[in-house]
Coordinates of all heavy atoms in Angstrom, one line a residue:
M1 N 61.3 -13.7 -3.2 CA 61.0 -15.1 -3.3 C 62.3 -15.9 -3.6 O 63.2 -15.4 -4.3 CB 60.0 -15.4 -4.5 CG 59.7 -16.8 -4.6 SD 58.6 -17.2 -5.9 CE 57.1 -16.6 -5.2
E2 N 62.4 -17.1 -3.1 CA 63.6 -17.9 -3.3 C 63.8 -18.3 -4.7 O 62.9 -18.6 -5.5 CB 63.5 -19.1 -2.4 CG 63.3 -18.8 -0.9 CD 63.0 -20.1 -0.1 OE1 63.1 -21.2 -0.7 OE2 62.6 -19.9 1.0
K3 N 65.1 -18.4 -5.1 CA 65.4 -18.8 -6.5 C 65.0 -20.2 -6.8 O 64.6 -20.5 -7.9 CB 66.9 -18.7 -6.7 CG 67.4 -17.2 -6.8 CD 68.8 -17.2 -7.1 CE 69.3 -15.7 -7.3 NZ 70.7 -15.6 -7.7
S4 N 65.0 -21.1 -5.8 CA 64.6 -22.5 -6.0 C 63.1 -22.6 -6.4 O 62.7 -23.3 -7.3 CB 64.8 -23.3 -4.8 OG 64.1 -22.8 -3.7
K5 N 62.3 -21.7 -5.7 CA 60.8 -21.7 -6.1 C 60.6 -21.1 -7.4 O 59.8 -21.6 -8.2 CB 60.1 -20.9 -5.0 CG 59.9 -21.6 -3.7 CD 59.1 -20.7 -2.7 CE 59.0 -21.4 -1.4 NZ 58.3 -20.6 -0.4
I6 N 61.4 -20.1 -7.8 CA 61.2 -19.5 -9.1 C 61.6 -20.5 -10.2 O 61.0 -20.6 -11.2 CB 62.0 -18.2 -9.2 CG1 61.4 -17.1 -8.3 CG2 62.1 -17.7 -10.6 CD1 62.1 -15.8 -8.2
S7 N 62.8 -21.2 -10.0 CA 63.2 -22.1 -11.0 C 62.2 -23.3 -11.1 O 62.0 -23.8 -12.2 CB 64.6 -22.6 -10.7 OG 64.6 -23.4 -9.5
K8 N 61.6 -23.7 -10.1 CA 60.5 -24.7 -10.1 C 59.4 -24.3 -11.0 O 58.8 -25.0 -11.8 CB 60.1 -25.1 -8.7 CG 59.1 -26.2 -8.6 CD 58.7 -26.4 -7.2 CE 57.5 -27.4 -7.1 NZ 57.0 -27.5 -5.8
I9 N 58.9 -23.0 -10.8 CA 57.8 -22.5 -11.5 C 58.2 -22.3 -13.0 O 57.4 -22.6 -13.9 CB 57.4 -21.1 -10.9 CG1 56.8 -21.3 -9.6 CG2 56.4 -20.4 -11.8 CD1 56.6 -20.1 -8.7
I10 N 59.4 -21.9 -13.3 CA 59.9 -21.8 -14.7 C 59.9 -23.2 -15.4 O 59.4 -23.3 -16.5 CB 61.3 -21.1 -14.7 CG1 61.2 -19.7 -14.3 CG2 61.9 -21.3 -16.1 CD1 62.5 -19.0 -14.1
K11 N 60.3 -24.2 -14.7 CA 60.3 -25.5 -15.2 C 58.9 -26.0 -15.5 O 58.6 -26.6 -16.5 CB 61.0 -26.5 -14.3 CG 62.5 -26.4 -14.3 CD 63.1 -27.4 -13.3 CE 64.6 -27.1 -13.2 NZ 65.3 -28.0 -12.2
Q12 N 58.0 -25.7 -14.6 CA 56.6 -26.1 -14.8 C 56.0 -25.3 -15.9 O 55.2 -25.9 -16.7 CB 55.8 -25.7 -13.5 CG 54.4 -26.2 -13.5 CD 53.7 -25.8 -12.2 OE1 54.3 -25.4 -11.2 NE2 52.4 -26.1 -12.1
T13 N 56.4 -24.0 -16.1 CA 55.9 -23.3 -17.3 C 56.4 -23.8 -18.6 O 55.6 -23.9 -19.5 CB 56.4 -21.8 -17.1 OG1 55.9 -21.3 -15.9 CG2 55.9 -20.9 -18.2
Y14 N 57.7 -24.2 -18.6 CA 58.2 -24.8 -19.9 C 57.4 -26.1 -20.2 O 57.2 -26.4 -21.4 CB 59.7 -25.1 -19.7 CG 60.6 -23.9 -19.7 CD1 61.8 -24.0 -19.1 CD2 60.2 -22.7 -20.2 CE1 62.7 -22.9 -19.1 CE2 61.0 -21.6 -20.1 CZ 62.2 -21.7 -19.6 OH 63.1 -20.6 -19.6
K15 N 57.0 -26.9 -19.2 CA 56.3 -28.1 -19.4 C 54.9 -27.8 -19.9 O 54.4 -28.5 -20.8 CB 56.2 -28.9 -18.1 CG 55.6 -30.2 -18.2 CD 55.6 -31.0 -16.8 CE 54.9 -32.3 -16.9 NZ 54.8 -32.9 -15.6
N16 N 54.2 -26.8 -19.3 CA 52.8 -26.5 -19.7 C 52.7 -25.7 -21.0 O 51.7 -25.8 -21.7 CB 52.1 -25.8 -18.6 CG 51.9 -26.7 -17.3 OD1 51.9 -27.9 -17.4 ND2 51.8 -26.1 -16.2
F17 N 53.6 -24.8 -21.2 CA 53.6 -24.0 -22.4 C 54.9 -24.2 -23.2 O 55.9 -23.4 -23.0 CB 53.5 -22.5 -22.0 CG 52.3 -22.2 -21.2 CD1 52.3 -22.2 -19.8 CD2 51.1 -21.9 -21.8 CE1 51.2 -21.9 -19.0 CE2 50.0 -21.6 -21.1 CZ 50.0 -21.6 -19.7
S18 N 55.0 -25.2 -24.0 CA 56.2 -25.7 -24.6 C 56.7 -24.6 -25.6 O 57.9 -24.6 -25.9 CB 56.0 -27.0 -25.3 OG 54.9 -26.9 -26.3
E19 N 55.9 -23.8 -26.1 CA 56.3 -22.7 -27.1 C 57.2 -21.7 -26.4 O 58.0 -21.0 -27.1 CB 55.2 -22.1 -27.8 CG 54.3 -21.2 -26.9 CD 53.1 -20.7 -27.6 OE1 52.0 -21.3 -27.6 OE2 53.2 -19.5 -28.1
F20 N 57.2 -21.6 -25.1 CA 58.1 -20.7 -24.4 C 59.3 -21.3 -23.8 O 60.0 -20.7 -23.0 CB 57.3 -20.0 -23.3 CG 56.3 -19.0 -23.8 CD1 54.9 -19.4 -23.9 CD2 56.6 -17.7 -24.1 CE1 54.0 -18.5 -24.4 CE2 55.7 -16.8 -24.6 CZ 54.4 -17.2 -24.7
K21 N 59.6 -22.6 -24.2 CA 60.7 -23.3 -23.7 C 62.0 -22.6 -24.1 O 62.2 -22.3 -25.3 CB 60.7 -24.7 -24.2 CG 61.6 -25.6 -23.5 CD 61.4 -27.1 -23.8 CE 62.2 -27.9 -22.8 NZ 61.8 -29.3 -23.0
G22 N 62.9 -22.3 -23.1 CA 64.1 -21.7 -23.4 C 64.1 -20.2 -23.3 O 65.1 -19.5 -23.4
V23 N 62.9 -19.6 -23.1 CA 62.7 -18.1 -23.0 C 63.0 -17.7 -21.5 O 62.3 -18.3 -20.7 CB 61.3 -17.7 -23.5 CG1 61.2 -16.2 -23.3 CG2 61.1 -18.1 -24.9
K24 N 63.9 -16.8 -21.3 CA 64.1 -16.4 -19.9 C 63.1 -15.3 -19.5 O 62.9 -14.4 -20.3 CB 65.5 -15.8 -19.8 CG 66.6 -16.8 -20.2 CD 67.6 -16.8 -19.1 CE 68.6 -17.9 -19.5 NZ 69.6 -18.1 -18.5
P25 N 62.5 -15.5 -18.4 CA 61.4 -14.5 -18.0 C 62.0 -13.3 -17.3 O 63.1 -13.2 -16.8 CB 60.6 -15.3 -16.9 CG 61.7 -16.2 -16.3 CD 62.6 -16.6 -17.4
L26 N 61.2 -12.2 -17.4 CA 61.5 -11.0 -16.7 C 60.8 -11.1 -15.4 O 59.6 -11.3 -15.3 CB 60.9 -9.8 -17.5 CG 61.6 -8.5 -17.4 CD1 62.8 -8.5 -18.4 CD2 60.6 -7.4 -17.7
I27 N 61.6 -11.0 -14.3 CA 61.0 -11.2 -13.0 C 60.9 -9.9 -12.2 O 61.8 -9.1 -12.1 CB 61.9 -12.2 -12.2 CG1 62.0 -13.5 -12.9 CG2 61.4 -12.4 -10.8 CD1 63.1 -14.4 -12.3
A28 N 59.6 -9.6 -11.7 CA 59.4 -8.4 -11.0 C 58.6 -8.8 -9.7 O 57.7 -9.6 -9.7 CB 58.5 -7.4 -11.8
A29 N 59.1 -8.2 -8.6 CA 58.4 -8.4 -7.3 C 57.8 -7.1 -6.8 O 58.3 -6.1 -7.0 CB 59.4 -8.9 -6.3
R30 N 56.6 -7.2 -6.2 CA 56.0 -6.1 -5.6 C 55.2 -6.4 -4.4 O 54.8 -7.6 -4.2 CB 55.1 -5.4 -6.7 CG 54.0 -6.2 -7.2 CD 53.3 -5.5 -8.3 NE 52.4 -6.5 -9.0 CZ 51.3 -6.1 -9.6 NH1 51.0 -4.9 -9.7 NH2 50.6 -7.1 -10.1
I31 N 54.8 -5.4 -3.6 CA 54.0 -5.6 -2.4 C 52.7 -5.0 -2.6 O 52.6 -3.8 -3.0 CB 54.7 -5.0 -1.2 CG1 56.1 -5.8 -1.0 CG2 53.9 -5.1 0.0 CD1 56.9 -5.1 0.1
I32 N 51.6 -5.7 -2.4 CA 50.3 -5.2 -2.5 C 49.7 -5.0 -1.1 O 49.6 -5.9 -0.3 CB 49.4 -6.2 -3.3 CG1 49.9 -6.4 -4.7 CG2 47.9 -5.7 -3.3 CD1 49.2 -7.4 -5.5
K33 N 49.5 -3.7 -0.8 CA 48.9 -3.3 0.5 C 47.4 -3.4 0.5 O 46.8 -3.2 -0.6 CB 49.4 -1.9 0.8 CG 50.9 -1.8 1.0 CD 51.2 -0.4 1.3 CE 52.7 -0.2 1.4 NZ 53.2 1.1 1.6
P34 N 46.8 -3.7 1.6 CA 45.3 -3.8 1.6 C 44.7 -2.4 1.5 O 45.3 -1.4 2.0 CB 45.1 -4.4 3.0 CG 46.3 -4.1 3.8 CD 47.4 -4.1 2.9
Q35 N 43.6 -2.4 0.8 CA 42.9 -1.1 0.6 C 41.9 -0.9 1.8 O 40.9 -1.5 1.8 CB 42.1 -1.1 -0.7 CG 43.0 -1.2 -1.9 CD 42.3 -1.3 -3.2 OE1 41.0 -1.4 -3.2 NE2 43.0 -1.2 -4.3
T36 N 42.3 -0.1 2.7 CA 41.5 0.1 3.9 C 40.2 0.7 3.7 O 39.2 0.4 4.4 CB 42.3 0.9 5.0 OG1 42.7 2.2 4.3 CG2 43.6 0.2 5.4
S37 N 40.0 1.5 2.6 CA 38.8 2.2 2.4 C 37.7 1.1 2.0 O 36.5 1.3 2.4 CB 38.9 3.2 1.2 OG 39.3 2.6 0.1
I38 N 38.0 0.1 1.3 CA 37.1 -0.9 0.9 C 36.6 -1.7 2.1 O 35.5 -2.0 2.3 CB 37.7 -1.8 -0.2 CG1 37.8 -1.1 -1.5 CG2 36.8 -3.1 -0.4 CD1 38.6 -1.8 -2.6
Y39 N 37.6 -2.0 3.0 CA 37.3 -2.8 4.2 C 36.4 -1.9 5.1 O 35.5 -2.5 5.8 CB 38.5 -3.2 4.9 CG 39.2 -4.4 4.2 CD1 40.2 -4.2 3.2 CD2 38.8 -5.7 4.5 CE1 40.8 -5.2 2.6 CE2 39.4 -6.8 3.8 CZ 40.4 -6.5 2.9 OH 40.9 -7.6 2.2
R40 N 36.6 -0.6 5.1 CA 35.8 0.2 6.0 C 34.4 0.3 5.5 O 33.4 0.2 6.2 CB 36.4 1.7 6.0 CG 36.5 2.2 7.4 CD 37.1 3.6 7.4 NE 38.4 3.6 6.7 CZ 38.8 4.5 5.9 NH1 38.2 5.6 5.7 NH2 40.0 4.4 5.3
K41 N 34.2 0.4 4.1 CA 32.8 0.4 3.5 C 32.1 -0.9 3.8 O 30.9 -0.9 4.0 CB 32.9 0.6 2.0 CG 33.2 2.0 1.6 CD 33.3 2.1 0.1 CE 33.6 3.5 -0.3 NZ 33.7 3.6 -1.8
L42 N 32.8 -2.0 3.8 CA 32.1 -3.3 4.0 C 32.0 -3.6 5.5 O 31.6 -4.7 5.9 CB 32.9 -4.4 3.3 CG 32.9 -4.3 1.8 CD1 33.9 -5.3 1.2 CD2 31.5 -4.4 1.2
S43 N 32.5 -2.7 6.4 CA 32.5 -2.9 7.8 C 33.2 -4.2 8.2 O 32.8 -5.0 9.1 CB 31.0 -3.0 8.4 OG 30.3 -1.8 8.1
M44 N 34.4 -4.4 7.6 CA 35.2 -5.5 7.9 C 36.5 -5.0 8.5 O 36.9 -3.9 8.2 CB 35.6 -6.3 6.7 CG 34.4 -6.9 6.0 SD 34.8 -7.6 4.4 CE 35.8 -8.9 4.8
G45 N 37.1 -5.8 9.3 CA 38.5 -5.4 9.8 C 39.5 -5.5 8.7 O 39.4 -6.4 7.8
S46 N 40.4 -4.7 8.7 CA 41.4 -4.7 7.6 C 42.4 -5.8 7.8 O 42.7 -6.2 8.9 CB 42.2 -3.4 7.5 OG 42.9 -3.1 8.6
P47 N 42.9 -6.4 6.7 CA 43.9 -7.5 6.9 C 45.2 -7.0 7.5 O 45.5 -5.8 7.3 CB 44.1 -8.0 5.5 CG 43.5 -7.0 4.6 CD 42.6 -6.2 5.4
K48 N 45.9 -7.8 8.2 CA 47.0 -7.3 9.0 C 48.3 -7.2 8.1 O 49.2 -6.5 8.5 CB 47.3 -8.3 10.1 CG 46.1 -8.2 11.1 CD 46.2 -9.2 12.2 CE 45.0 -9.1 13.1 NZ 44.5 -10.3 13.5
T49 N 48.4 -8.0 7.1 CA 49.7 -8.0 6.3 C 49.5 -7.7 4.9 O 48.4 -7.8 4.3 CB 50.3 -9.4 6.4 OG1 49.4 -10.4 5.8 CG2 50.7 -9.8 7.8
A50 N 50.5 -7.2 4.3 CA 50.5 -6.9 2.8 C 51.0 -8.2 2.1 O 51.7 -9.0 2.7 CB 51.5 -5.8 2.5
K51 N 50.5 -8.4 0.9 CA 50.9 -9.5 0.1 C 52.1 -9.3 -0.8 O 52.2 -8.2 -1.4 CB 49.7 -10.0 -0.8 CG 48.5 -10.4 0.0 CD 47.4 -10.9 -1.0 CE 46.2 -11.3 -0.2 NZ 45.2 -11.8 -1.2
K52 N 53.0 -10.2 -0.8 CA 54.1 -10.1 -1.7 C 53.9 -11.0 -3.0 O 53.6 -12.2 -2.9 CB 55.4 -10.6 -1.0 CG 55.8 -9.8 0.2 CD 56.9 -10.3 0.9 CE 57.2 -9.5 2.2 NZ 58.2 -10.2 3.1
I53 N 53.9 -10.3 -4.1 CA 53.6 -10.9 -5.4 C 54.8 -10.9 -6.3 O 55.5 -9.9 -6.4 CB 52.4 -10.2 -6.1 CG1 51.1 -10.3 -5.2 CG2 52.1 -10.8 -7.4 CD1 50.5 -11.6 -5.0
T54 N 55.1 -12.0 -7.0 CA 56.2 -12.0 -8.0 C 55.5 -12.3 -9.3 O 54.7 -13.2 -9.4 CB 57.2 -13.1 -7.6 OG1 57.7 -12.9 -6.3 CG2 58.3 -13.1 -8.6
T55 N 55.9 -11.5 -10.3 CA 55.4 -11.7 -11.7 C 56.5 -12.2 -12.6 O 57.6 -11.6 -12.6 CB 54.8 -10.4 -12.2 OG1 53.9 -9.9 -11.3 CG2 54.2 -10.6 -13.5
L56 N 56.3 -13.2 -13.3 CA 57.2 -13.7 -14.3 C 56.6 -13.5 -15.7 O 55.5 -13.9 -16.0 CB 57.4 -15.3 -14.2 CG 57.9 -15.7 -12.8 CD1 57.6 -17.2 -12.6 CD2 59.4 -15.5 -12.7
K57 N 57.3 -12.7 -16.5 CA 56.8 -12.4 -17.8 C 57.7 -13.0 -18.9 O 58.9 -12.6 -19.0 CB 56.8 -10.8 -18.0 CG 56.0 -10.4 -19.2 CD 55.9 -8.9 -19.3 CE 54.7 -8.4 -18.5 NZ 54.5 -7.0 -18.7
F58 N 57.1 -13.8 -19.7 CA 57.9 -14.5 -20.8 C 57.4 -13.8 -22.1 O 56.2 -13.7 -22.4 CB 57.5 -16.0 -20.9 CG 57.9 -16.8 -19.7 CD1 57.1 -16.8 -18.6 CD2 59.1 -17.5 -19.7 CE1 57.4 -17.6 -17.5 CE2 59.4 -18.3 -18.6 CZ 58.6 -18.3 -17.5
K59 N 58.4 -13.4 -23.0 CA 58.1 -12.7 -24.3 C 58.7 -13.5 -25.4 O 59.9 -13.9 -25.3 CB 58.6 -11.3 -24.3 CG 57.8 -10.4 -23.4 CD 58.3 -9.0 -23.6 CE 57.6 -8.0 -22.6 NZ 58.0 -6.6 -22.8
R60 N 58.0 -13.7 -26.5 CA 58.5 -14.4 -27.6 C 57.8 -13.9 -28.9 O 56.6 -13.6 -28.9 CB 58.2 -15.9 -27.5 CG 58.8 -16.7 -28.6 CD 58.7 -18.1 -28.4 NE 59.4 -18.7 -29.5 CZ 59.2 -20.0 -29.8 NH1 58.4 -20.7 -29.1 NH2 59.8 -20.5 -30.9
K61 N 58.6 -13.7 -30.0 CA 58.0 -13.3 -31.2 C 57.7 -14.5 -32.1 O 58.5 -15.5 -32.2 CB 59.0 -12.4 -32.0 CG 59.1 -11.1 -31.3 CD 59.8 -10.1 -32.2 CE 59.8 -8.7 -31.5 NZ 60.2 -7.7 -32.3
I62 N 56.5 -14.5 -32.7 CA 56.0 -15.6 -33.5 C 55.6 -15.1 -34.8 O 55.0 -14.0 -35.0 CB 54.8 -16.3 -32.8 CG1 55.2 -16.9 -31.5 CG2 54.2 -17.3 -33.7 CD1 54.1 -17.5 -30.7
T63 N 56.0 -15.8 -35.9 CA 55.6 -15.5 -37.2 C 54.4 -16.3 -37.6 O 54.4 -17.5 -37.5 CB 56.7 -15.7 -38.2 OG1 57.9 -15.1 -37.7 CG2 56.4 -15.2 -39.6
T64 N 53.3 -15.6 -38.1 CA 52.1 -16.3 -38.5 C 52.2 -16.9 -39.9 O 53.3 -16.7 -40.6 CB 50.9 -15.3 -38.5 OG1 51.1 -14.3 -39.4 CG2 50.7 -14.8 -37.1
A65 N 51.2 -17.5 -40.4 CA 51.2 -18.2 -41.7 C 51.4 -17.1 -42.8 O 52.0 -17.4 -43.9 CB 50.0 -19.0 -41.9
D66 N 50.8 -15.9 -42.6 CA 50.9 -14.9 -43.6 C 52.1 -13.9 -43.4 O 52.0 -12.8 -43.8 CB 49.6 -14.1 -43.7 CG 49.1 -13.5 -42.4 OD1 49.7 -13.9 -41.4 OD2 48.2 -12.7 -42.4
R67 N 53.1 -14.4 -42.7 CA 54.4 -13.7 -42.4 C 54.3 -12.4 -41.6 O 55.0 -11.5 -41.8 CB 55.1 -13.5 -43.7 CG 55.4 -14.7 -44.5 CD 56.1 -14.4 -45.8 NE 56.3 -15.5 -46.6 CZ 56.5 -15.5 -47.8 NH1 56.8 -14.4 -48.5 NH2 56.6 -16.6 -48.5
V68 N 53.3 -12.4 -40.7 CA 53.2 -11.2 -39.8 C 53.8 -11.6 -38.5 O 53.5 -12.7 -38.0 CB 51.7 -10.9 -39.6 CG1 51.6 -9.7 -38.6 CG2 51.1 -10.5 -41.0
E69 N 54.7 -10.8 -37.9 CA 55.3 -11.1 -36.6 C 54.4 -10.6 -35.5 O 54.0 -9.4 -35.5 CB 56.7 -10.4 -36.6 CG 57.8 -11.3 -36.9 CD 59.1 -10.8 -36.5 OE1 59.2 -9.9 -35.7 OE2 60.1 -11.3 -37.1
L70 N 54.1 -11.4 -34.6 CA 53.4 -11.1 -33.4 C 54.2 -11.4 -32.1 O 55.0 -12.3 -32.1 CB 52.1 -11.9 -33.3 CG 51.0 -11.7 -34.4 CD1 49.9 -12.7 -34.2 CD2 50.5 -10.3 -34.4
E71 N 54.0 -10.5 -31.1 CA 54.7 -10.8 -29.9 C 53.8 -11.5 -29.0 O 52.7 -11.0 -28.7 CB 55.2 -9.5 -29.2 CG 56.1 -9.7 -28.0 CD 56.7 -8.4 -27.5 OE1 55.9 -7.4 -27.4 OE2 57.9 -8.4 -27.3
R72 N 54.2 -12.7 -28.5 CA 53.4 -13.5 -27.6 C 53.9 -13.3 -26.2 O 55.1 -13.4 -26.0 CB 53.6 -14.9 -28.1 CG 52.6 -15.9 -27.5 CD 51.4 -15.9 -28.4 NE 50.5 -16.9 -27.8 CZ 49.9 -17.8 -28.5 NH1 49.9 -17.8 -29.8 NH2 49.1 -18.7 -27.9
I73 N 53.0 -12.9 -25.3 CA 53.5 -12.6 -23.9 C 52.7 -13.6 -22.9 O 51.5 -13.6 -23.0 CB 53.2 -11.2 -23.5 CG1 53.9 -10.2 -24.5 CG2 53.6 -10.9 -22.1 CD1 53.6 -8.8 -24.3
L74 N 53.4 -14.2 -22.1 CA 52.9 -15.1 -21.0 C 53.3 -14.5 -19.7 O 54.4 -14.3 -19.4 CB 53.4 -16.5 -21.2 CG 53.1 -17.5 -20.1 CD1 51.6 -17.8 -20.1 CD2 53.9 -18.8 -20.2
T75 N 52.2 -14.2 -18.9 CA 52.5 -13.6 -17.6 C 52.0 -14.6 -16.5 O 50.8 -15.0 -16.6 CB 51.8 -12.2 -17.4 OG1 52.1 -11.4 -18.5 CG2 52.1 -11.6 -16.1
I76 N 52.8 -14.9 -15.5 CA 52.5 -15.8 -14.4 C 52.7 -15.0 -13.1 O 53.8 -14.5 -12.9 CB 53.3 -17.0 -14.5 CG1 53.0 -17.8 -15.8 CG2 53.0 -17.9 -13.3 CD1 53.8 -19.0 -16.0
T77 N 51.6 -14.9 -12.3 CA 51.7 -14.3 -11.0 C 51.7 -15.3 -9.9 O 50.9 -16.3 -9.9 CB 50.4 -13.4 -10.9 OG1 50.3 -12.5 -12.0 CG2 50.5 -12.6 -9.6
V78 N 52.7 -15.1 -9.0 CA 53.0 -16.1 -8.0 C 52.9 -15.4 -6.6 O 53.4 -14.3 -6.5 CB 54.3 -16.8 -8.2 CG1 54.6 -17.8 -7.2 CG2 54.5 -17.3 -9.6
D79 N 52.4 -16.1 -5.6 CA 52.4 -15.5 -4.3 C 53.7 -15.8 -3.5 O 54.5 -16.5 -4.1 CB 51.1 -15.9 -3.4 CG 51.1 -17.4 -3.1 OD1 52.0 -18.1 -3.6 OD2 50.2 -17.8 -2.5
E80 N 53.8 -15.4 -2.3 CA 55.1 -15.6 -1.5 C 55.3 -17.0 -1.2 O 56.5 -17.4 -0.9 CB 55.1 -14.7 -0.3 CG 54.1 -15.0 0.7 CD 52.9 -14.1 0.7 OE1 52.8 -13.3 -0.2 OE2 52.1 -14.2 1.7
K81 N 54.3 -17.9 -1.2 CA 54.5 -19.3 -0.9 C 54.9 -20.1 -2.1 O 55.1 -21.3 -2.0 CB 53.2 -19.9 -0.3 CG 52.9 -19.3 1.1 CD 51.6 -19.8 1.6 CE 51.3 -19.2 2.9 NZ 50.0 -19.7 3.5
G82 N 54.9 -19.5 -3.3 CA 55.3 -20.2 -4.5 C 54.1 -20.8 -5.3 O 54.3 -21.6 -6.2
R83 N 52.9 -20.4 -4.9 CA 51.7 -20.9 -5.6 C 51.4 -20.0 -6.7 O 51.4 -18.8 -6.6 CB 50.5 -21.0 -4.6 CG 50.7 -22.1 -3.6 CD 49.5 -22.1 -2.7 NE 49.4 -20.8 -2.0 CZ 48.7 -20.6 -0.9 NH1 47.9 -21.5 -0.4 NH2 48.6 -19.4 -0.4
I84 N 51.0 -20.6 -7.9 CA 50.6 -19.8 -9.0 C 49.2 -19.2 -8.8 O 48.3 -20.0 -8.6 CB 50.7 -20.6 -10.3 CG1 52.1 -21.0 -10.6 CG2 50.1 -19.8 -11.5 CD1 52.3 -21.9 -11.8
V85 N 49.1 -17.9 -8.8 CA 47.8 -17.3 -8.5 C 47.0 -17.0 -9.8 O 45.8 -17.2 -9.9 CB 48.0 -15.9 -7.8 CG1 46.7 -15.2 -7.5 CG2 48.7 -16.2 -6.5
K86 N 47.8 -16.6 -10.9 CA 47.1 -16.2 -12.1 C 48.1 -16.5 -13.3 O 49.3 -16.3 -13.2 CB 46.7 -14.8 -12.1 CG 46.0 -14.2 -13.3 CD 45.7 -12.8 -13.1 CE 45.0 -12.2 -14.3 NZ 44.8 -10.8 -14.1
T87 N 47.5 -16.9 -14.4 CA 48.3 -17.1 -15.6 C 47.5 -16.5 -16.8 O 46.3 -16.7 -16.9 CB 48.4 -18.6 -16.0 OG1 49.1 -19.2 -14.9 CG2 49.3 -18.8 -17.2
S88 N 48.2 -15.6 -17.5 CA 47.5 -15.0 -18.7 C 48.5 -14.9 -19.9 O 49.7 -14.8 -19.7 CB 47.0 -13.6 -18.3 OG 48.1 -12.7 -18.1
M89 N 47.9 -15.1 -21.1 CA 48.7 -15.1 -22.3 C 48.0 -14.3 -23.3 O 46.8 -14.3 -23.5 CB 48.9 -16.5 -22.8 CG 49.8 -16.6 -23.9 SD 50.4 -18.3 -24.4 CE 48.9 -19.3 -24.4
S90 N 48.8 -13.5 -24.1 CA 48.3 -12.7 -25.2 C 47.9 -13.7 -26.3 O 48.4 -14.8 -26.4 CB 49.3 -11.7 -25.6 OG 50.4 -12.3 -26.2
R91 N 47.2 -13.2 -27.3 CA 46.8 -14.0 -28.4 C 47.9 -14.3 -29.3 O 48.8 -14.3 -29.6 CB 45.7 -13.3 -29.3 CG 44.4 -13.2 -28.5 CD 43.4 -12.6 -29.4 NE 42.2 -12.6 -28.7 CZ 41.0 -12.3 -29.3 NH1 41.0 -12.0 -30.5 NH2 39.9 -12.3 -28.6

């Protein structure tokens, strides 16, 4: 994925999740191939292309009111067009 799209998503993340502002994400890219066995069971033609997914993982340690340190993790999954597919955050 292009750096410009990634930086745009990072800026959007800082805006929506202000507690992660200034945290540099861990970026991982992977290719998801279609599962032909499922398409065969459903009597569907298999998709022609594999999907390219990029994952941005933000990690930050937070201290609670009773002085317990917790690691807060925000994971954002993005497709090859730069659209956010999924956002998940730990407690």
Side-chain angles (χ1 to χ4, degrees):
M1 179 181 287
E2 298 172 12
K3 288 186 178 184
S4 61
K5 288 182 182 179
I6 291 175
S7 64
K8 182 181 171 187
I9 292 166
I10 291 172
K11 286 179 186 176
Q12 184 179 356
T13 303
Y14 290 159
K15 184 179 176 184
N16 294 336
F17 300 95
S18 59
E19 65 184 90
F20 289 96
K21 194 169 191 172
V23 178
K24 299 229 178 188
L26 208 84
I27 301 171
R30 61 185 169 155
I31 297 173
I32 299 176
K33 296 179 182 177
Q35 296 178 352
T36 55
S37 61
I38 292 174
Y39 285 92
R40 228 177 308 141
K41 283 181 182 179
L42 297 173
S43 300
M44 298 171 65
S46 63
K48 297 175 180 139
T49 60
K51 293 182 181 179
K52 296 175 186 172
I53 300 292
T54 304
T55 305
L56 303 159
K57 189 177 275 189
F58 298 82
K59 290 185 180 183
R60 182 171 185 201
K61 289 194 178 189
I62 295 176
T63 306
T64 61
D66 55 348
R67 298 182 189 162
V68 176
E69 263 193 20
L70 296 175
E71 188 172 46
R72 195 86 178 224
I73 301 171
L74 173 67
T75 306
I76 298 177
T77 307
V78 183
D79 65 359
E80 65 260 8
K81 294 180 182 176
R83 294 180 297 194
I84 296 175
V85 177
K86 182 180 178 183
T87 302
S88 66
M89 184 167 48
S90 65
R91 290 184 178 193

